PDB file of all heavy atoms in Angstrom:
ATOM      1  N   LEU A 422     -10.727  -6.895 -12.885  1.00 96.00           N
ATOM      2  CA  LEU A 422     -10.936  -7.739 -14.067  1.00 96.00           C
ATOM      3  C   LEU A 422      -9.701  -8.574 -14.390  1.00 96.00           C
ATOM      4  O   LEU A 422      -9.792  -9.563 -15.112  1.00 96.00           O
ATOM      5  CB  LEU A 422     -11.319  -6.879 -15.271  1.00 96.00           C
ATOM      6  CG  LEU A 422     -12.638  -6.098 -15.144  1.00 96.00           C
ATOM      7  CD1 LEU A 422     -12.859  -5.222 -16.355  1.00 96.00           C
ATOM      8  CD2 LEU A 422     -13.802  -7.069 -14.955  1.00 96.00           C
ATOM      9  N   LEU A 423      -8.547  -8.169 -13.873  1.00 96.00           N
ATOM     10  CA  LEU A 423      -7.345  -8.984 -14.055  1.00 96.00           C
ATOM     11  C   LEU A 423      -7.509 -10.361 -13.421  1.00 96.00           C
ATOM     12  O   LEU A 423      -6.831 -11.309 -13.811  1.00 96.00           O
ATOM     13  CB  LEU A 423      -6.130  -8.278 -13.432  1.00 96.00           C
ATOM     14  CG  LEU A 423      -5.679  -6.969 -14.067  1.00 96.00           C
ATOM     15  CD1 LEU A 423      -4.601  -6.303 -13.205  1.00 96.00           C
ATOM     16  CD2 LEU A 423      -5.148  -7.205 -15.479  1.00 96.00           C
ATOM     17  N   TYR A 424      -8.414 -10.455 -12.438  1.00 95.00           N
ATOM     18  CA  TYR A 424      -8.642 -11.718 -11.735  1.00 95.00           C
ATOM     19  C   TYR A 424      -9.838 -12.479 -12.298  1.00 95.00           C
ATOM     20  O   TYR A 424     -10.306 -13.441 -11.683  1.00 95.00           O
ATOM     21  CB  TYR A 424      -8.873 -11.449 -10.252  1.00 95.00           C
ATOM     22  CG  TYR A 424      -7.612 -11.200  -9.453  1.00 95.00           C
ATOM     23  CD1 TYR A 424      -6.380 -11.032 -10.082  1.00 95.00           C
ATOM     24  CD2 TYR A 424      -7.652 -11.117  -8.074  1.00 95.00           C
ATOM     25  CE1 TYR A 424      -5.234 -10.786  -9.348  1.00 95.00           C
ATOM     26  CE2 TYR A 424      -6.498 -10.886  -7.324  1.00 95.00           C
ATOM     27  CZ  TYR A 424      -5.293 -10.723  -7.977  1.00 95.00           C
ATOM     28  OH  TYR A 424      -4.139 -10.495  -7.253  1.00 95.00           O
ATOM     29  N   ALA A 425     -10.346 -12.047 -13.438  1.00 92.00           N
ATOM     30  CA  ALA A 425     -11.552 -12.676 -13.988  1.00 92.00           C
ATOM     31  C   ALA A 425     -11.340 -14.148 -14.311  1.00 92.00           C
ATOM     32  O   ALA A 425     -12.258 -14.964 -14.191  1.00 92.00           O
ATOM     33  CB  ALA A 425     -12.018 -11.923 -15.238  1.00 92.00           C
ATOM     34  N   PHE A 426     -10.135 -14.514 -14.707  1.00 88.00           N
ATOM     35  CA  PHE A 426      -9.870 -15.897 -15.101  1.00 88.00           C
ATOM     36  C   PHE A 426      -8.922 -16.603 -14.138  1.00 88.00           C
ATOM     37  O   PHE A 426      -8.307 -17.608 -14.480  1.00 88.00           O
ATOM     38  CB  PHE A 426      -9.303 -15.939 -16.526  1.00 88.00           C
ATOM     39  CG  PHE A 426     -10.221 -15.330 -17.543  1.00 88.00           C
ATOM     40  CD1 PHE A 426      -9.993 -14.055 -18.029  1.00 88.00           C
ATOM     41  CD2 PHE A 426     -11.326 -16.025 -17.996  1.00 88.00           C
ATOM     42  CE1 PHE A 426     -10.843 -13.481 -18.965  1.00 88.00           C
ATOM     43  CE2 PHE A 426     -12.186 -15.462 -18.927  1.00 88.00           C
ATOM     44  CZ  PHE A 426     -11.943 -14.192 -19.413  1.00 88.00           C
ATOM     45  N   GLY A 427      -8.783 -16.056 -12.947  1.00 88.00           N
ATOM     46  CA  GLY A 427      -7.914 -16.677 -11.957  1.00 88.00           C
ATOM     47  C   GLY A 427      -7.161 -15.623 -11.169  1.00 88.00           C
ATOM     48  O   GLY A 427      -6.582 -14.698 -11.745  1.00 88.00           O
ATOM     49  N   ALA A 428      -7.208 -15.770  -9.842  1.00 91.00           N
ATOM     50  CA  ALA A 428      -6.548 -14.798  -8.967  1.00 91.00           C
ATOM     51  C   ALA A 428      -5.145 -15.264  -8.633  1.00 91.00           C
ATOM     52  O   ALA A 428      -4.941 -16.421  -8.261  1.00 91.00           O
ATOM     53  CB  ALA A 428      -7.358 -14.602  -7.691  1.00 91.00           C
ATOM     54  N   ASP A 429      -4.186 -14.355  -8.774  1.00 94.00           N
ATOM     55  CA  ASP A 429      -2.794 -14.675  -8.470  1.00 94.00           C
ATOM     56  C   ASP A 429      -2.024 -13.365  -8.344  1.00 94.00           C
ATOM     57  O   ASP A 429      -2.059 -12.536  -9.260  1.00 94.00           O
ATOM     58  CB  ASP A 429      -2.188 -15.529  -9.578  1.00 94.00           C
ATOM     59  CG  ASP A 429      -0.824 -16.094  -9.201  1.00 94.00           C
ATOM     60  OD1 ASP A 429      -0.181 -15.535  -8.287  1.00 94.00           O
ATOM     61  OD2 ASP A 429      -0.390 -17.077  -9.821  1.00 94.00           O
ATOM     62  N   PRO A 430      -1.334 -13.133  -7.217  1.00 96.00           N
ATOM     63  CA  PRO A 430      -0.553 -11.898  -7.073  1.00 96.00           C
ATOM     64  C   PRO A 430       0.486 -11.705  -8.173  1.00 96.00           C
ATOM     65  O   PRO A 430       0.878 -10.563  -8.453  1.00 96.00           O
ATOM     66  CB  PRO A 430       0.109 -12.058  -5.702  1.00 96.00           C
ATOM     67  CG  PRO A 430      -0.804 -12.951  -4.940  1.00 96.00           C
ATOM     68  CD  PRO A 430      -1.346 -13.921  -5.963  1.00 96.00           C
ATOM     69  N   HIS A 431       0.938 -12.798  -8.799  1.00 97.00           N
ATOM     70  CA  HIS A 431       1.887 -12.633  -9.907  1.00 97.00           C
ATOM     71  C   HIS A 431       1.302 -11.751 -11.003  1.00 97.00           C
ATOM     72  O   HIS A 431       2.031 -10.996 -11.654  1.00 97.00           O
ATOM     73  CB  HIS A 431       2.242 -14.004 -10.503  1.00 97.00           C
ATOM     74  CG  HIS A 431       3.097 -14.841  -9.610  1.00 97.00           C
ATOM     75  ND1 HIS A 431       2.585 -15.820  -8.799  1.00 97.00           N
ATOM     76  CD2 HIS A 431       4.436 -14.851  -9.397  1.00 97.00           C
ATOM     77  CE1 HIS A 431       3.567 -16.413  -8.133  1.00 97.00           C
ATOM     78  NE2 HIS A 431       4.700 -15.834  -8.469  1.00 97.00           N
ATOM     79  N   ILE A 432      -0.015 -11.851 -11.210  1.00 96.00           N
ATOM     80  CA  ILE A 432      -0.666 -11.051 -12.251  1.00 96.00           C
ATOM     81  C   ILE A 432      -0.516  -9.566 -11.932  1.00 96.00           C
ATOM     82  O   ILE A 432      -0.206  -8.748 -12.808  1.00 96.00           O
ATOM     83  CB  ILE A 432      -2.152 -11.431 -12.366  1.00 96.00           C
ATOM     84  CG1 ILE A 432      -2.291 -12.893 -12.797  1.00 96.00           C
ATOM     85  CG2 ILE A 432      -2.870 -10.511 -13.344  1.00 96.00           C
ATOM     86  CD1 ILE A 432      -3.723 -13.389 -12.806  1.00 96.00           C
ATOM     87  N   LEU A 433      -0.745  -9.203 -10.671  1.00 97.00           N
ATOM     88  CA  LEU A 433      -0.620  -7.800 -10.268  1.00 97.00           C
ATOM     89  C   LEU A 433       0.795  -7.290 -10.474  1.00 97.00           C
ATOM     90  O   LEU A 433       1.005  -6.175 -10.962  1.00 97.00           O
ATOM     91  CB  LEU A 433      -1.007  -7.646  -8.801  1.00 97.00           C
ATOM     92  CG  LEU A 433      -2.486  -7.725  -8.434  1.00 97.00           C
ATOM     93  CD1 LEU A 433      -2.664  -7.498  -6.946  1.00 97.00           C
ATOM     94  CD2 LEU A 433      -3.286  -6.724  -9.224  1.00 97.00           C
ATOM     95  N   LEU A 434       1.768  -8.096 -10.080  1.00 97.00           N
ATOM     96  CA  LEU A 434       3.162  -7.661 -10.157  1.00 97.00           C
ATOM     97  C   LEU A 434       3.607  -7.459 -11.599  1.00 97.00           C
ATOM     98  O   LEU A 434       4.295  -6.488 -11.918  1.00 97.00           O
ATOM     99  CB  LEU A 434       4.052  -8.688  -9.457  1.00 97.00           C
ATOM    100  CG  LEU A 434       3.775  -8.867  -7.956  1.00 97.00           C
ATOM    101  CD1 LEU A 434       4.612 -10.005  -7.392  1.00 97.00           C
ATOM    102  CD2 LEU A 434       4.039  -7.573  -7.197  1.00 97.00           C
ATOM    103  N   VAL A 435       3.208  -8.356 -12.492  1.00 97.00           N
ATOM    104  CA  VAL A 435       3.578  -8.223 -13.900  1.00 97.00           C
ATOM    105  C   VAL A 435       2.845  -7.050 -14.530  1.00 97.00           C
ATOM    106  O   VAL A 435       3.425  -6.269 -15.305  1.00 97.00           O
ATOM    107  CB  VAL A 435       3.297  -9.531 -14.665  1.00 97.00           C
ATOM    108  CG1 VAL A 435       3.505  -9.339 -16.165  1.00 97.00           C
ATOM    109  CG2 VAL A 435       4.188 -10.652 -14.150  1.00 97.00           C
ATOM    110  N   PHE A 436       1.560  -6.903 -14.197  1.00 97.00           N
ATOM    111  CA  PHE A 436       0.793  -5.790 -14.751  1.00 97.00           C
ATOM    112  C   PHE A 436       1.384  -4.452 -14.335  1.00 97.00           C
ATOM    113  O   PHE A 436       1.505  -3.533 -15.149  1.00 97.00           O
ATOM    114  CB  PHE A 436      -0.669  -5.889 -14.297  1.00 97.00           C
ATOM    115  CG  PHE A 436      -1.516  -4.748 -14.773  1.00 97.00           C
ATOM    116  CD1 PHE A 436      -1.996  -4.718 -16.070  1.00 97.00           C
ATOM    117  CD2 PHE A 436      -1.830  -3.692 -13.926  1.00 97.00           C
ATOM    118  CE1 PHE A 436      -2.781  -3.657 -16.520  1.00 97.00           C
ATOM    119  CE2 PHE A 436      -2.599  -2.630 -14.360  1.00 97.00           C
ATOM    120  CZ  PHE A 436      -3.091  -2.616 -15.659  1.00 97.00           C
ATOM    121  N   GLN A 437       1.746  -4.327 -13.072  1.00 98.00           N
ATOM    122  CA  GLN A 437       2.353  -3.087 -12.596  1.00 98.00           C
ATOM    123  C   GLN A 437       3.653  -2.803 -13.336  1.00 98.00           C
ATOM    124  O   GLN A 437       3.925  -1.650 -13.727  1.00 98.00           O
ATOM    125  CB  GLN A 437       2.618  -3.182 -11.093  1.00 98.00           C
ATOM    126  CG  GLN A 437       3.303  -1.960 -10.506  1.00 98.00           C
ATOM    127  CD  GLN A 437       3.425  -2.031  -8.994  1.00 98.00           C
ATOM    128  OE1 GLN A 437       2.754  -1.316  -8.275  1.00 98.00           O
ATOM    129  NE2 GLN A 437       4.288  -2.910  -8.504  1.00 98.00           N
ATOM    130  N   THR A 438       4.459  -3.827 -13.558  1.00 98.00           N
ATOM    131  CA  THR A 438       5.723  -3.636 -14.276  1.00 98.00           C
ATOM    132  C   THR A 438       5.479  -3.159 -15.696  1.00 98.00           C
ATOM    133  O   THR A 438       6.130  -2.229 -16.177  1.00 98.00           O
ATOM    134  CB  THR A 438       6.521  -4.955 -14.288  1.00 98.00           C
ATOM    135  OG1 THR A 438       6.805  -5.346 -12.945  1.00 98.00           O
ATOM    136  CG2 THR A 438       7.826  -4.783 -15.051  1.00 98.00           C
ATOM    137  N   LEU A 439       4.544  -3.802 -16.385  1.00 98.00           N
ATOM    138  CA  LEU A 439       4.256  -3.415 -17.768  1.00 98.00           C
ATOM    139  C   LEU A 439       3.712  -1.992 -17.836  1.00 98.00           C
ATOM    140  O   LEU A 439       4.047  -1.231 -18.754  1.00 98.00           O
ATOM    141  CB  LEU A 439       3.265  -4.404 -18.384  1.00 98.00           C
ATOM    142  CG  LEU A 439       3.765  -5.842 -18.556  1.00 98.00           C
ATOM    143  CD1 LEU A 439       2.666  -6.724 -19.128  1.00 98.00           C
ATOM    144  CD2 LEU A 439       4.998  -5.892 -19.444  1.00 98.00           C
ATOM    145  N   ALA A 440       2.875  -1.627 -16.878  1.00 98.00           N
ATOM    146  CA  ALA A 440       2.320  -0.272 -16.864  1.00 98.00           C
ATOM    147  C   ALA A 440       3.422   0.761 -16.676  1.00 98.00           C
ATOM    148  O   ALA A 440       3.480   1.770 -17.389  1.00 98.00           O
ATOM    149  CB  ALA A 440       1.268  -0.152 -15.767  1.00 98.00           C
ATOM    150  N   LEU A 441       4.303   0.517 -15.709  1.00 98.00           N
ATOM    151  CA  LEU A 441       5.394   1.470 -15.464  1.00 98.00           C
ATOM    152  C   LEU A 441       6.354   1.519 -16.653  1.00 98.00           C
ATOM    153  O   LEU A 441       6.840   2.591 -17.020  1.00 98.00           O
ATOM    154  CB  LEU A 441       6.143   1.077 -14.194  1.00 98.00           C
ATOM    155  CG  LEU A 441       5.365   1.249 -12.885  1.00 98.00           C
ATOM    156  CD1 LEU A 441       6.150   0.668 -11.710  1.00 98.00           C
ATOM    157  CD2 LEU A 441       5.047   2.716 -12.625  1.00 98.00           C
TER     158      LEU A 441
END
Side-chain angles (χ1 to χ4, degrees):
L422 297 176
L423 294 172
Y424 281 9
F426 301 102
D429 190 339
H431 289 98
I432 297 174
L433 286 182
L434 298 174
V435 172
F436 177 79
Q437 178 174 251
T438 299
L439 295 178
L441 291 173

